[in-house]
Amino acid sequence: DEDVQVRQKVVEVDPQEEADFDKELRALMQESLDSRKLELRGRPALNMTIPMNVFEGSKDHHGRVVEGESGDETMDEEGSGGNKVCVKVLVKKGNKQQTKQMYIPQDCSLVQSTKQKEAAELEE
Amino acid sequence: EEPVEDENYEYGKGSFTEHACRYCGVQNPACVVRCNVPSCRKWFCNSRGNTSGSHIVNHLVRAKHKEVCLHKDSPLGETILECYNCGCRNVFLLGFISAKTESVVVLLCREPCLSVNALKDMNWDLSQWCPLIDDRCFLQWLVKIPSEQEQLRARQISAQQINKVEELWKTNPDASLEDLEKPGVDDEPQPVALKYEDAYQYQNVFAPLIKLEADYDKTMKESQSKDNVTIRWDIGLNKKRIAYFVFPKEDNELRLVPGDELRLRYSGDATHPAWQSVGHVIKLTAQEEVALELRASQGVPVDVNHGFSVDFVWKSTSFDRMQGAMKTFAVDETSVSGYIYHHLLGHEVEGQVVRNTLPRRFGAPGLPELNASQVFAVKSVLQKPISLIQGPPGTGKTVTSAAIVYHMAKQGQGQVLVCAPSNVAVDQLAEKISATGLKVVRLCAKSREAVISPVEHLTLHYQVRHLDTSEKSELHKLQQLKDEQGELSSSDEKKYKALKRATEREISQSADVICCTCVGAGDPRLSNFRFRQVLIDESTQATEPECLIPLVLGVKQVVLVGDHCQLGPVIMCKKAARAGLAQSLFERLVLLGVKPFRLQVQYRMHPCLSEFPSNSFYEGTLQNGVTINERQSTGIDFPWPVPNRPMFFYVQMGQEEISASGTSYLNRTEAANVEKIVTTFLRSGVIPSQIGVITPYEGQRAYIVNYMSRNGALRQQLYKEIEVASVDSFQGREKDYIILSCVRSNEHQGIGFLNDPRRLNVALTRARYGIVMLGNPKVLSKQPLWNSLLTHYKENECLVEGPLNNLKQSMVQFQKPKKIYN
Ligand SMILES: [Zn+2]
Ligand SMILES: [Zn+2]
Ligand SMILES: [Zn+2]
């Protein structure tokens, strides 16, 4: 029930700080990539099958668009209208596969491609 | 010795949760992740704050850590982020891919898993790998960015601070940001500011000042042991032992107040074993006698009267509560509303109107009618989330406050909390509020329950004892048993405590208004209470952290009442005072541009007495609500130099002396003349309770008391009944006649206590009917304000000298006032 309007000074990030940080971040990325290339010569075994239970009932969630969650929790920096898509995230807990539901913005590249594929499939 | 319950209570609610961002304090589980490096395991949020990367990314980069884990209450639950295929946990390599046809996504590492061609054939779309860290921030739909409100309320950490603290963590992983700013032992503390970035910075400034004051207070009080004390024994109505004894004091030294804890010791003799007991001061008599109610009732050597020792038992409670309130203010988002949070820190906030239906009339039942400026104040504060009311002397602050509380309570927003720094002020306010018909509970410190109060029937402990319902009979039975036997069996004691606590809660919850001191608002008995509306009276006499205690219980609307032109809080530690601890929150808000509503009609002083204070301290705005006729001392034959002008400055040339203790001053001729003036008043029909003698020095106070009772021309008892006290202890009170002895009279030194304009204002505004001042104009006129006061008296032909029965206008020359440099 509270609405505060704080007139905040615009925070200006020091360009030098930004540049230094960027450099360090890139270095860390590169170093990570390089180390993996050295470590793993051979191809890793594939263990990427999608468990059957994920498909069951998945139509329910299929591309379902929900309104942005109300109020404070939504942070749409890009101002993308707030529409979200429900996806299942597949994770491994030890050797067990688990799925968790999560909402991601409709215009995220991840779901864009799925939607295009769906559209294409529908046409066929 | 039974410990007071308070001691086990930890102050500072909403303590830092473990998963709060170590940079900024944000603790929303959806917004934070934990660094998964075993030696680190710190939590960080996904907001950028004042830096280019988000806090978690900042940490990972600076510390070169690469693994994270989500919070258990986040959408994915407690999950270490890793490649679904190979288990790689390096977040700089991870990204999401989705299945070709289904809305299924997994994390996959960029090297090597993303480049395995076989995956393409397996229903996965590798063309849209979506990196976990994008634009120096975690994917926002995985780890949320805290809302703007959350970010504004968080600690405003800079990139430099981040670098410093990361550097510090390399050698000391448990270091906090506060460790970066800790001053060395001998450094001057950081001074108070007008504005603060956030509540953490606020705490960083005030916590060391409160610590300094607490340390000073402790050292001073604990060094106050007195030996060879003579005791007079008595028994109280509650059958407890009371020891009476004299405990002398000096300027700036220990001022005992009811509720203080003292230890009484006897080292033993041939017929008595060594003995000691602690007790609470329940009373201080005008003769400096202390009444101490002992905790122990057994084994007290009541047949001995001499050779006792007294020590002060120092308690950190009030300081703990201030520190706790500052911590709560910082870490608990619900402690005060966002508007109040930002406003108190001096951030620019868009004005907010409190939408309440206003009452048709602004007075309240049981109270006098309000005047125009009082009505305006009541009406205005009801519509604002933060307001200040300035109440110059005698302008009806208490009535106005009571009317505000009455209307707040009628708005149905829950219980109203009413506080003031002093117990006297709380009692006065409780009484007035109760007169409006509201249900009032006056919460007293446990140590003060035996202290006589004018509003005893409103106190919680009284109401608990007198709650007359059958369900409480068990409590009553146990109470009786405890009173008779002095103690209960441990099982009965347990039962008694539980019943008592439940009854206390029940009574407190059914009240419309809770009244207590500011420090009392931190009482554990209120820890589960929430107050949206808080009024603090005398707020200009409280330090900021003290004022904060009643506010952090969920306040959304606050009214601070006070007068920054009168004396502020007493700070004993010079270092802390220099750093600005003596500046009240009220004053800082005034400096920030909050305009106080000023009550403008005074009902105390004879119009002649209000003229100078009005012009010098209130820009001439103080109007008189009393006429000259209403303040005429009919039948009192006193030699006022100008009839109808009941005031004069009595020129004194006697020397000042250092008092016997070496720490204070006295002035014998002034004291002798004070006695003559008092005697003249008494002879003319004034009674002792109408007279107050004010002097800024303890040495002079003691000397006058002594001198009058030895040399007074009338019955000794009459002089004993006259209150002689410091300016400070007269604040908030009034007398019909005031005699002010200035004491200081020297060629080259300053005028000490008299230099503070606010102290002069208080001294000049205590009298209703008449005032007599004694002092040396030659010395006092050096100070600009005193110079204009003396000029005012001279112009009114009230600057006089000679014997009291033949006063003549004085021709004494004033000195040029020194320029003011502030
Ligand atoms: Zn780490
Ligand atoms: Zn953070
Ligand atoms: Zn992998």
Side-chain angles (χ1 to χ4, degrees):
Chain A
D1 60 322
E2 205 194 318
D3 189 21
V4 198
Q5 298 290 321
V6 184
R7 268 167 275 167
Q8 187 75 343
K9 52 178 192 271
V10 181
V11 179
E12 293 204 5
V13 177
D14 176 12
Q16 187 58 47
E17 186 268 322
E18 188 169 2
D20 289 350
F21 184 75
D22 230 26
K23 213 170 105 194
E24 273 193 70
L25 176 61
R26 264 176 233 276
L28 205 57
M29 290 262 190
Q30 196 55 50
E31 179 206 303
S32 300
L33 273 176
D34 293 348
S35 69
R36 294 288 285 180
K37 281 178 182 155
L38 287 175
E39 266 173 44
L40 301 155
R41 282 280 153 80
R43 290 185 163 186
L46 278 183
N47 189 9
M48 292 284 286
T49 42
I50 301 176
M52 284 314 288
N53 62 338
V54 174
F55 294 100
E56 285 159 22
S58 73
K59 293 291 174 214
D60 295 347
H61 301 292
H62 199 89
R64 192 176 64 177
V65 175
V66 292
E67 286 301 304
E69 298 150 72
S70 68
D72 335 330
E73 291 198 15
T74 319
M75 275 307 300
D76 278 321
E77 298 249 298
E78 301 86 3
S80 60
N83 282 348
K84 303 204 168 177
V85 181
C86 181
V87 295
K88 287 184 169 182
V89 185
L90 200 54
V91 291
K92 275 184 195 143
K93 281 264 157 91
N95 282 325
K96 272 196 195 155
Q97 288 168 323
Q98 281 186 6
T99 59
K100 303 254 168 107
Q101 265 184 43
M102 199 166 55
Y103 292 95
I104 67 177
Q106 206 179 1
D107 58 358
C108 173
S109 61
L110 262 185
V111 280
Q112 286 299 310
S113 65
T114 330
K115 288 184 83 179
Q116 281 165 15
K117 294 271 158 53
E118 277 166 24
E121 277 166 24
L122 270 175
E123 269 173 37
E124 282 167 25
Chain B
E1 288 170 17
E2 128 197 17
V4 186
E5 275 171 48
D6 221 88
E7 283 169 358
N8 307 321
Y9 188 79
E10 210 191 309
Y11 296 100
K13 267 205 298 188
S15 55
F16 236 176
T17 45
E18 197 213 341
H19 66 261
C21 173
R22 285 294 286 267
Y23 290 163
C24 75
V26 159
Q27 40 185 295
N28 180 345
C31 303
V32 293
V33 297
R34 191 186 71 203
C35 174
N36 202 43
V37 171
S39 61
C40 179
R41 301 246 160 182
K42 293 181 177 70
W43 291 87
F44 296 92
C45 79
N46 200 24
S47 81
R48 294 175 202 268
N50 307 320
T51 58
S52 55
S54 83
H55 287 165
I56 177 61
V57 176
N58 255 289
H59 167 69
L60 297 173
V61 170
R62 309 274 183 211
K64 306 232 180 319
H65 292 169
K66 293 166 191 165
E67 296 181 14
V68 305
C69 178
L70 302 178
H71 192 275
K72 66 174 172 23
D73 298 329
S74 69
L76 291 189
E78 187 167 1
T79 308
I80 296 170
L81 299 181
E82 58 186 24
C83 172
Y84 186 75
N85 190 48
C86 73
C88 159
R89 290 176 172 183
N90 183 333
V91 291
F92 295 99
L93 293 172
L94 296 175
F96 281 101
I97 55 164
S98 73
K100 278 177 186 160
T101 53
E102 298 300 322
S103 298
V104 176
V105 301
V106 290
L107 271 174
L108 197 72
C109 75
R110 199 170 137 198
E111 185 67 39
C113 297
L114 187 64
S115 45
V116 177
N117 276 324
L119 275 181
K120 284 184 189 157
D121 312 327
M122 287 183 66
N123 197 25
W124 295 104
D125 177 7
L126 302 184
S127 64
Q128 296 292 343
W129 183 79
C130 183
L132 192 58
I133 295 172
D134 186 22
D135 191 20
R136 309 173 208 119
C137 183
F138 268 62
L139 285 173
Q140 296 169 29
W141 43 266
L142 181 68
V143 185
K144 283 200 173 133
I145 294 182
S147 72
E148 202 181 332
Q149 304 267 319
E150 281 173 300
Q151 290 195 41
L152 281 174
R153 199 136 172 189
R155 181 193 278 129
Q156 307 297 309
I157 189 173
S158 68
Q160 288 83 351
Q161 285 174 302
I162 288 179
N163 286 340
K164 270 203 219 159
V165 79
E166 285 289 353
E167 223 23 68
L168 194 58
W169 281 337
K170 284 177 184 160
T171 50
N172 175 11
D174 296 323
S176 71
L177 272 161
E178 282 67 38
D179 295 330
L180 285 180
E181 280 142 51
K182 266 192 190 141
V185 186
D186 294 322
D187 290 351
E188 280 292 316
Q190 207 185 330
V192 301
L194 189 58
K195 301 176 179 189
Y196 298 88
E197 284 284 317
D198 52 51
Y200 297 93
Q201 193 199 1
Y202 183 87
Q203 193 184 6
N204 281 347
V205 170
F206 278 101
L209 301 184
I210 292 299
K211 172 90 171 38
L212 278 172
E213 180 70 3
D215 290 346
Y216 186 94
D217 194 55
K218 184 171 195 284
T219 315
M220 190 188 64
K221 287 186 170 153
E222 288 183 345
S223 69
Q224 292 288 307
S225 290
K226 306 260 177 209
D227 294 323
N228 293 318
V229 175
T230 301
I231 306 286
R232 183 163 68 77
W233 296 105
D234 199 359
I235 283 190
L237 288 174
N238 56 3
K239 299 184 185 112
K240 292 204 173 164
R241 277 283 162 203
I242 301 177
Y244 283 90
F245 53 90
V246 176
F247 199 78
K249 61 177 166 97
E250 296 296 339
D251 287 337
N252 289 328
E253 267 189 16
L254 178 61
R255 242 188 232 142
L256 279 182
V257 291
D260 279 347
E261 199 169 310
L262 300 178
R263 180 182 293 106
L264 195 58
R265 285 183 287 128
Y266 185 64
S267 54
D269 57 43
T271 51
H272 299 87
W275 169 90
Q276 65 171 35
S277 171
V278 292
H280 287 118
V281 175
I282 56 168
K283 195 166 64 181
L284 296 156
T285 69
Q287 284 71 45
E288 298 183 353
E289 222 181 14
V290 178
L292 187 73
E293 184 186 273
L294 295 182
R295 215 176 268 164
S297 45
Q298 254 88 64
V300 184
V302 287
D303 51 335
V304 186
N305 296 96
H306 300 284
F308 285 84
S309 299
V310 179
D311 316 309
F312 197 94
V313 182
W314 187 78
K315 295 279 179 202
S316 64
T317 313
S318 55
F319 301 105
D320 292 346
R321 290 181 183 176
M322 293 181 211
Q323 300 284 15
M326 286 190 280
K327 187 172 163 205
T328 306
F329 183 49
V331 305
D332 179 1
E333 279 175 44
T334 65
S335 60
V336 304
S337 75
Y339 181 86
I340 288 178
Y341 175 88
H342 291 295
H343 209 126
L344 294 187
L345 294 171
H347 302 165
E348 279 199 48
V349 201
E350 295 290 345
Q352 202 182 45
V353 178
V354 176
R355 262 170 292 251
N356 278 326
T357 21
L358 288 174
R360 246 171 288 145
R361 51 183 293 274
F362 292 95
L367 298 179
E369 280 295 318
L370 301 184
N371 65 40
S373 65
Q374 290 172 332
V375 166
F376 182 69
V378 175
K379 185 177 171 181
S380 309
V381 306
L382 288 174
Q383 302 174 78
K384 300 179 93 179
I386 294 189
S387 33
L388 308 177
I389 295 182
Q390 185 186 9
T395 52
K397 242 167 8 106
T398 313
V399 168
T400 311
S401 299
I404 292 166
V405 172
Y406 174 80
H407 292 299
M408 281 181 162
K410 291 292 174 194
Q411 286 170 348
Q413 295 197 47
Q415 297 177 292
V416 182
L417 180 63
V418 174
C419 296
S422 80
N423 280 288
V424 177
V426 176
D427 287 347
Q428 280 174 0
L429 206 44
E431 193 169 17
K432 278 275 184 313
I433 295 167
S434 165
T436 68
L438 291 178
K439 245 174 152 180
V440 175
V441 162
R442 162 70 162 108
L443 180 75
C444 292
K446 290 238 161 91
S447 58
R448 287 182 58 95
E449 287 187 357
V451 178
I452 294 162
S453 156
V455 289
E456 189 179 36
H457 61 289
L458 300 176
T459 61
L460 182 59
H461 56 274
Y462 180 92
Q463 294 192 41
V464 167
R465 269 176 172 260
H466 295 81
L467 189 74
D468 207 11
T469 63
S470 53
E471 308 100 78
K472 297 298 168 236
S473 57
E474 175 76 4
L475 176 61
H476 273 248
K477 248 185 262 163
L478 290 168
Q479 181 73 58
Q480 248 166 12
L481 205 62
K482 192 177 165 94
D483 290 349
E484 276 160 22
Q485 303 177 343
E487 54 191 306
L488 294 171
S489 69
S490 67
S491 68
D492 272 355
E493 180 69 27
K494 240 190 199 159
K495 215 189 292 167
Y496 166 76
K497 277 203 171 133
L499 278 170
K500 194 170 152 195
R501 222 169 284 139
T503 312
E504 283 175 344
R505 204 164 332 146
E506 197 179 301
I507 293 171
S508 311
Q509 277 168 351
S510 70
D512 300 313
V513 179
I514 306 259
C515 297
C516 58
T517 60
C518 293
V519 166
D523 191 298
R525 288 172 289 179
L526 290 183
S527 62
N528 293 318
F529 282 68
R530 305 294 283 173
F531 301 96
R532 298 162 73 100
Q533 296 166 304
V534 179
L535 180 138
I536 304 178
D537 193 8
E538 279 189 351
S539 66
T540 44
Q541 290 179 63
T543 61
E544 282 212 28
E546 192 178 352
C547 240
L548 210 54
I549 304 173
L551 298 187
V552 296
L553 300 171
V555 75
K556 288 178 188 291
Q557 189 175 22
V558 57
V559 182
L560 300 180
V561 185
D563 182 8
H564 53 300
C565 297
Q566 297 184 58
L567 289 165
V570 179
I571 305 301
M572 303 302 283
C573 168
K574 292 222 171 66
K575 230 180 189 182
R578 267 202 306 276
L581 187 58
Q583 177 182 270
S584 65
L585 176 60
F586 186 109
E587 269 182 283
R588 186 165 62 85
L589 290 174
V590 170
L591 293 175
L592 279 168
V594 182
K595 209 169 171 291
F597 299 102
R598 186 185 281 170
L599 306 181
Q600 292 179 325
V601 186
Q602 70 86 13
Y603 299 93
R604 177 182 297 161
M605 295 163 272
H606 185 291
C608 286
L609 306 188
S610 69
E611 190 184 345
F612 182 82
S614 173
N615 289 331
S616 306
F617 306 108
Y618 304 103
E619 298 94 35
T621 61
L622 212 51
Q623 300 156 30
N624 295 306
V626 284
T627 62
I628 293 176
N629 285 338
E630 286 170 284
R631 284 292 174 269
Q632 215 140 40
S633 324
T634 33
I636 303 293
D637 179 28
F638 189 81
W640 301 108
V642 182
N644 293 329
R645 238 179 223 293
M647 56 188 238
F648 66 89
F649 191 100
Y650 199 4
V651 175
Q652 306 287 310
M653 291 300 176
Q655 270 306 301
E656 68 179 42
E657 294 168 41
I658 307 267
S659 71
S661 67
T663 58
S664 190
Y665 294 92
L666 61 88
N667 186 317
R668 289 169 201 266
T669 40
E670 278 188 23
N673 282 320
V674 166
E675 183 273 320
K676 287 202 181 83
I677 294 162
V678 166
T679 303
T680 311
F681 271 128
L682 293 173
R683 281 217 172 101
S684 68
V686 174
I687 56 170
S689 63
Q690 289 180 282
I691 305 172
V693 179
I694 301 184
T695 178
Y697 292 95
E698 174 54 30
Q700 178 77 341
R701 195 200 65 78
Y703 186 78
I704 289 175
V705 169
N706 204 316
Y707 183 90
M708 287 202 304
S709 69
R710 282 201 199 161
N711 304 295
L714 304 172
R715 257 187 317 127
Q716 220 189 47
Q717 191 54 36
L718 288 172
Y719 297 97
K720 280 193 172 169
E721 285 166 22
I722 288 169
E723 191 174 355
V724 185
S726 66
V727 185
D728 303 51
S729 59
F730 264 108
Q731 175 144 312
R733 301 192 303 130
E734 58 182 28
K735 287 277 179 189
D736 286 349
Y737 298 95
I738 287 289
I739 301 161
L740 174 65
S741 168
C742 295
V743 182
R744 298 311 296 275
S745 180
N746 59 67
E747 280 300 314
H748 306 290
Q749 293 175 55
I751 54 172
F753 283 147
L754 298 172
N755 230 328
D756 185 347
R758 300 187 300 177
R759 187 166 277 112
L760 180 58
N761 183 19
V762 173
L764 291 177
T765 53
R766 299 306 99 196
R768 301 171 74 222
Y769 286 85
I771 188 167
V772 180
M773 302 171 73
L774 301 92
N776 182 341
K778 275 197 160 166
V779 173
L780 294 166
S781 59
K782 275 188 228 168
Q783 204 259 18
L785 187 59
W786 275 93
N787 191 289
S788 71
L789 176 72
L790 289 159
T791 307
H792 174 78
Y793 272 70
K794 189 169 184 160
E795 282 169 0
N796 284 289
E797 302 177 347
C798 294
L799 185 81
V800 295
E801 59 193 22
L804 202 52
N805 54 14
N806 188 22
L807 293 172
K808 293 240 159 59
Q809 282 195 56
S810 169
M811 291 299 136
V812 63
Q813 290 297 304
F814 297 165
Q815 303 210 33
K816 258 211 207 116
K818 273 187 266 170
K819 278 212 186 94
I820 327 168
Y821 291 104
N822 50 9

